[in-house]
C-alpha cells in the first residue's frame, strides 16, 4: 500500500478542519482546543494536526492533513508539508487584511511553493473589502502565479474542486515528464 | 487564393458579403468571391445546393435557432456579422490547407473536424499555433467564471509558457477551448506571445524518481478522482 | 487578585523553582493549551513562544491518542532524545488546561523531573 498526502493550511477559522471533514471517509481526527487568542473569533482552534483519509480503489491511501493556522506553528507546516502531493491554502476574506494573511503562508512555505502544486481557496469572498482578483495581483507583484479560487468549504464540491486543481497540476508535470523521456 | 461561391442568398446579403471580403484586412489577400466555376467554399442560404463537390466546404446561412441540428461551426447566423464571417473563412482556409496537405485527398474537410479546431480564431491568430503564450498573473475571475477547463488551462499556463498545441496536450483540454481561453485573456491584454517554451520547473521532488512517475501516470490521479467522485 | 492573576503567579514561581532545583534543565515553559506561554525561564536563550506552540501540538496529539485508545486523559508526554529529553505534563484546572514543559540535557534525571513536575501540576490544579 502506498500513501499520499495533501496538506491544508491557512488562516485560523478559514475552514481547514471543515474542508477535511467534507471529503474524508472517516470522521476526521481533530486536535482542536479552546482558543484564547482574541485575534480570532473562534471558540476552538487546531494546535496539532487535523487528519482525514480516503481509500483509493488501488488499495492506496490518500491522507489529508490540516496544519494549525497561526504562524507560531510554522514548524509543523514544514514537517507536515514534506512530500505532500500538494498544498491547499485557505484564507478568510472577511478578515481585516487577508493579503497580509496570505503573506504569512507564502513566506512560511517559501521555496517549496516553486515546485509543490498549490492552490489558494478564498472563503467568505462575498464579505470584506478585498476583491478576489487582488490576490492574483498581489502574487504577481512577487513574481508568483498561484491558482486562486472562491470557495465555501462547507460545500463538498468546492473542496473537491480545490483538490482537482492540484491534480491538474500534477497531471501536467506527469505529461511533461512523459514527453521528455519517452518510454 | 481561396474561392468563395454564394448560393441562394438575397442581393443584399450577397453585396454585404462581397464588401466584407473586399474590405477585411484578414481576408482581402486570400479570398475572392466568384460567380461561377470551381470554388473552395460555398456559402448558401436555405435554397442553396444540398450537395457540393467533394473537397468543397459548405457554410450555411441560417436564422438564429434554425441550425440546432448542425455544427455551429458550419453555420453563419443571420444577421450576417463581419467578425463571424471572417472567423469562419479563416477556419475554412486552415481546414482546406490541412485537408489538402493530408494524404487522404478524397476526404472532405469539415470546419468542425478536430483539424479545424486547431485553427486559432482571428484574435489568437496573432500568436500562431507555434508561438508561445505566457501569463504573468492568475486570470481574473471574470475570465475563469468557475469554468473548470479554463481553470485547468490557467493552472498549466501558470507553470509554463506554451504553444496552443502544447497547452492542449499538457492540459488535456480540447484545442478549441484552449483558443477561446487565450482569446478571453487576449481581450484583456493578459497574454504575452512569443519567446521560447519555458524550461518547465521540476516536478515535486518525490515525483521525480522515474518509477514513481510511471506509477503516477498509471492511475494514481484517476483513483483519487474516482474516490472524490470527479 | 483574580483567578487568572493567581494562576500566572503560581506558574512563574513554579518555573523558577524547577529551573533552580533540577540539574540539566535548559528551559521551563508553562503554556496555554493553544500554545501561548504564560510563564517561562529559558536558560539557553530559546524562544519560549516557540516552545509553547510545540508543547501544545505535542500534547494535543498525546490527547488524541489517549482518547482514541480510551485511555483517559493524557497526563504527560516524554520525548527522549540522543542528548536529553523534553517532558510535558498537563495540568487540568477547572476551566482551562495548562502544559508544563521542561527541556533538559543528559545531566538531568527523567524520574526526578517527572516527580518534580507532578508536584507543580498539583499546585496549579489546586488554584480554585
Ligand atoms: N458563512 C461562512 N462560513 C464559513 C465559510 N467557510 C467556512 N465557514 C465556517 O467557518 C468555520 C471554520 O472553522 P474551522 O474549519 O475550524 O477552521 P480552521 O481553523 O481553518 O480549521 C466553520 O464553522 C465553517 O462552517 C464561508 O464561506 N461562509
Ligand atoms: Mg482547524
Amino acid at each position: 500500500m502506498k500513501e499520499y498526502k495533501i496538506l491544508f493550511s491557512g488562516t485560523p477559522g478559514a475552514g481547514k478542519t471543515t474542508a477535511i471533514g467534507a471529503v474524508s471517509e472517516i470522521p476526521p481526527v481533530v486536535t482542536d482546543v479552546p482558543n484564547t487568542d482574541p485575534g480570532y473569533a473562534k471558540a476552538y482552534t487546531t494546535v496539532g494536526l487535523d487528519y482525514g483519509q480516503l481509500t483509493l480503489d488501488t488499495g492506496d491511501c490518500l491522507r489529508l492533513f490540516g496544519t494549525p493556522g497561526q504562524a507560531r506553528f510554522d514548524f509543523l507546516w514544514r514537517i507536515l508539508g514534506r512530500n505532500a502531493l500538494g498544498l491547499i491554502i485557505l484564507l478568510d476574506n472577511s478578515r481585516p487584511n487577508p493579503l497580509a494573511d496570505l503573506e504569512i503562508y507564502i513566506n512560511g512555505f517559501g521555496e517549496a511553493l516553486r515546485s509543490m502544486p498549490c492552490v489558494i481557496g478564498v472563503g467568505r469572498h462575498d464579505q470584506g473589502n478585498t476583491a478576489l482578483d487582488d490576490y492574483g495581483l498581489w502574487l504577481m507583484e512577487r513574481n508568483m502565479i498561484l491558482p486562486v479560487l472562491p470557495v465555501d468549504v462547507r460545500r463538498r464540491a468546492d473542496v473537491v474542486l480545490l483538490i482537482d486543481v492540484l491534480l491538474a497540476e500534477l497531471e501536467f508535470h506527469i505529461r511533461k515528464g512523459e514527453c521528455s523521456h519517452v518510454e | 487564393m481561396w474561392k468563395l461561391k454564394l448560393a441562394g442568398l438575397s442581393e443584399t446579403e450577397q453585396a454585404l458579403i462581397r464588401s466584407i471580403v473586399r474590405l477585411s484586412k484578414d481576408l482581402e489577400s486570400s479570398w475572392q468571391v466568384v460567380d461561377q466555376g470551381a470554388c473552395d467554399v460555398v456559402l448558401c442560404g436555405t435554397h442553396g445546393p444540398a450537395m457540393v463537390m467533394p473537397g468543397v466546404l459548405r457554410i450555411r446561412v441560417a436564422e438564429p435557432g434554425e441550425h440546432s441540428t448542425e455544427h455551429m461551426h458550419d453555420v453563419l447566423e443571420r444577421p450576417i456579422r463581419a467578425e463571424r464571417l471572417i472567423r469562419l473563412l479563416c477556419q475554412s482556409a486552415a481546414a482546406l490547407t490541412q485537408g489538402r496537405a493530408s494524404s487522404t485527398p478524397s476526404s472532405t474537410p469539415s470546419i468542425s473536424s478536430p483539424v479545424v479546431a486547431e485553427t486559432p480564431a482571428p484574435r489568437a491568430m496573432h500568436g500562431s499555433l507555434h508561438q508561445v503564450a505566457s501569463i504573468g498573473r492568475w486570470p481574473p475571475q471574470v475570465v475563469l467564471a468557475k469554468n473548470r477547463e479554463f481553470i485547468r488551462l490557467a493552472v498549466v499556463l501558470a507553470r509554463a509558457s506554451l504553444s496552443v498545441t502544447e497547452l492542449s496536450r499538457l492540459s488535456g483540454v480540447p484545442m478549441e477551448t484552449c483558443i477561446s481561453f487565450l482569446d478571453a485573456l487576449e481581450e484583456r491584454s493578459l497574454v504575452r506571445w512569443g519567446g521560447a517554451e519555458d524550461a518547465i520547473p521540476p516536478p515535486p521532488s518525490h515525483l521525480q524518481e522515474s518509477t514513481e512517475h510511471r506509477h503516477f501516470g498509471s492511475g494514481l490521479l484517476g483513483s483519487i478522482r474516482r474516490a472524490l467522485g470527479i | 487578585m483574580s483567578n487568572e492573576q493567581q494562576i500566572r503567579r503560581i506558574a512563574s514561581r513554579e518555573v523558577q523553582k524547577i529551573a533552580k532545583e533540577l540539574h540539566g534543565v535548559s528551559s521551563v515553559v508553562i503554556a496555554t493549551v493553544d500554545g501561548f506561554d504564560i510563564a517561562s525561564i529559558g536558560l539557553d536563550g530559546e524562544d519560549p513562544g516557540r516552545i509553547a506552540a510545540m508543547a501544545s501540538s505535542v500534547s494535543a496529539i498525546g490527547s488524541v491518542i489517549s482518547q482514541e485508545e480510551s485511555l483517559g486523559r493524557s497526563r504527560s508526554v516524554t520525548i527522549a532524545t540522543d542528548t536529553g529529553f523534553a517532558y510535558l505534563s498537563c495540568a487540568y484546572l477547572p476551566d482551562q488546561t495548562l502544559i508544563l514543559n521542561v527541556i533538559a540535557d543528559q545531566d538531568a534525571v527523567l524520574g526526578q523531573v517527572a516527580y518534580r513536575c507532578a508536584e507543580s501540576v498539583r499546585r496549579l490544579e489546586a488554584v480554585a
Side-chain angles (χ1 to χ4, degrees):
Chain A
M1 186 185 85
K2 281 182 160 280
E3 295 177 5
Y4 302 95
K5 72 175 162 188
I6 289 178
L7 187 64
F8 291 75
S9 193
T11 311
K16 301 175 290 296
T17 305
T18 308
I20 290 172
V23 290
S24 174
E25 70 194 6
I26 57 163
V29 175
V30 170
T31 57
D32 279 11
V33 299
N35 174 50
T36 66
D37 184 350
Y40 299 97
K42 241 189 142 227
Y44 286 87
T45 188
T46 305
V47 292
L49 48 84
D50 292 329
Y51 173 73
Q53 70 179 38
L54 276 174
T55 308
L56 308 181
D57 51 16
T58 51
D60 297 337
C61 182
L62 179 66
R63 306 195 181 286
L64 310 165
F65 283 97
T67 73
Q70 298 88 337
R72 68 180 186 284
F73 290 100
D74 61 356
F75 60 93
L76 270 182
W77 303 354
R78 281 182 287 273
I79 293 171
L80 294 172
R82 214 169 284 154
N83 286 342
L85 286 182
L87 167 68
I88 294 172
I89 298 177
L90 294 175
L91 299 174
D92 175 353
N93 206 51
S94 72
R95 298 243 315 143
N97 188 352
L99 293 175
D101 292 341
L102 173 59
E103 183 163 27
I104 294 173
Y105 304 98
I106 295 298
N107 292 340
F109 285 96
E111 276 305 299
L113 295 180
R114 300 266 168 215
S115 62
M116 194 198 312
C118 174
V119 56
I120 296 165
V122 180
R124 299 182 177 88
H125 46 90
D126 48 344
Q127 301 171 39
N129 305 317
T130 309
L132 272 170
D133 293 339
D134 292 349
Y135 292 86
L137 293 170
W138 185 93
L139 287 163
M140 180 173 74
E141 285 162 16
R142 283 150 191 83
N143 250 325
M144 298 180 83
I145 315 177
L146 293 175
V148 180
L149 300 176
V151 289
D152 183 336
V153 291
R154 295 170 301 174
R155 295 178 37 197
R156 184 175 184 279
D158 285 17
V159 182
V160 168
L161 177 63
L162 289 171
I163 298 177
D164 195 32
V165 165
L166 294 181
L167 298 181
E169 191 175 335
L170 284 168
E171 197 158 43
F172 156 71
H173 284 301
I174 290 163
R175 288 193 169 138
K176 192 72 198 172
E178 276 167 2
C179 91
S180 58
H181 45 83
V182 180
E183 286 162 44
Chain B
M1 181 73 75
W2 303 111
K3 296 196 165 108
L4 173 66
K5 195 183 269 183
L6 310 179
L9 296 171
S10 70
E11 295 277 334
T12 337
E13 278 178 339
Q14 288 191 39
L16 175 65
I17 290 165
R18 280 174 201 277
S19 52
I20 292 172
V21 172
R22 202 174 50 243
L23 296 174
S24 160
K25 284 207 170 50
D26 290 319
L27 298 179
E28 61 165 348
S29 57
S30 48
W31 286 90
Q32 186 186 6
V33 180
V34 295
D35 292 314
Q36 39 190 265
C39 69
D40 303 290
V41 174
V42 180
L43 199 56
C44 55
T46 330
H47 307 295
M51 300 281 289
V52 293
M53 296 285 288
V56 172
L57 286 177
R58 191 173 65 133
I59 298 175
R60 223 159 71 74
V61 180
E63 300 304 327
E66 193 191 320
H67 52 270
S68 54
T69 58
E70 302 201 35
H71 292 293
M72 276 299 287
H73 288 282
D74 298 344
V75 172
L76 180 61
E77 223 174 59
R78 286 192 172 102
I80 295 170
R81 294 196 184 285
E83 330 156 327
R84 176 87 181 125
L85 174 63
I86 293 167
R87 193 182 178 118
L88 278 171
L89 291 180
C90 287
Q91 288 176 342
S92 305
L96 289 162
T97 311
Q98 284 276 0
R100 282 169 198 179
S102 80
S103 52
T104 52
S106 57
S107 68
T108 302
S110 152
I111 305 184
S112 42
S113 72
V115 170
V116 178
E118 296 198 6
T119 316
R123 218 187 288 280
M125 253 174 167
H126 296 303
S128 80
L129 283 181
H130 304 291
Q131 260 196 311
V132 167
S134 58
I135 55 175
R137 54 166 286 198
W138 183 249
Q141 302 299 322
V142 51
V143 171
L144 298 175
K146 290 231 166 187
N147 175 331
R148 271 185 191 239
E149 285 187 317
F150 277 19
I151 291 172
R152 182 171 271 272
L153 290 171
V155 164
V156 169
L157 269 188
R159 286 289 184 188
S161 303
L162 296 167
S163 66
V164 187
T165 6
E166 275 296 273
L167 178 61
S168 169
R169 186 180 74 79
L170 294 173
S171 63
V173 171
M175 187 78 87
E176 240 176 353
T177 314
C178 295
I179 290 164
S180 37
F181 175 64
L182 289 170
D183 269 354
L185 290 176
E186 175 86 25
E187 224 166 80
R188 294 166 180 83
S189 310
L190 292 172
V191 62
R192 284 189 303 265
W193 290 101
E197 295 212 345
D198 268 353
I200 307 298
S205 55
H206 54 294
L207 301 189
Q208 278 168 8
E209 197 198 326
S210 64
T211 53
E212 278 288 297
H213 235 113
R214 219 165 292 136
H215 181 79
F216 261 67
S218 68
L220 172 67
L221 301 184
S223 63
I224 296 178
R225 290 203 171 103
R226 285 191 297 278
L228 290 168
I230 305 178
Chain C
M1 192 180 341
S2 81
N3 214 21
E4 197 53 42
Q5 282 171 315
Q6 206 185 338
I7 291 168
R8 280 179 187 266
R9 225 178 47 142
I10 295 173
S12 45
R13 200 181 61 207
E14 290 305 314
V15 299
Q16 305 278 348
K17 283 170 73 175
I18 290 173
K20 206 161 68 189
E21 291 169 21
L22 296 175
H23 268 297
V25 167
S26 62
S27 307
V28 185
V29 177
I30 294 179
T32 60
V33 77
D34 61 339
F36 289 101
D37 55 303
I38 63 165
S40 68
I41 180 157
L43 306 174
D44 284 352
E46 281 163 278
D47 173 9
R50 265 189 102 61
I51 295 177
M54 292 193 232
S56 85
S57 297
V58 170
S59 123
I61 290 163
S63 299
V64 165
I65 292 171
S66 48
Q67 251 167 47
E68 299 261 315
E69 305 301 326
S70 309
L71 294 169
R73 291 191 303 192
S74 156
R75 305 266 15 167
S76 73
V77 179
T78 308
I79 299 166
T81 72
D82 287 344
T83 64
F85 59 87
Y87 186 78
L88 294 84
S89 27
C90 301
Y92 297 100
L93 280 65
D95 49 9
Q96 66 173 317
T97 301
L98 295 176
I99 302 156
L100 167 59
N101 187 69
V102 174
I103 313 274
D105 63 24
Q106 62 254 59
D107 292 340
V109 179
L110 178 59
Q112 214 171 15
V113 171
Y115 183 82
R116 182 62 191 76
C117 286
E119 200 176 301
S120 293
V121 164
R122 268 196 305 278
R123 282 184 198 141
L124 286 162
E125 286 179 343
V127 183

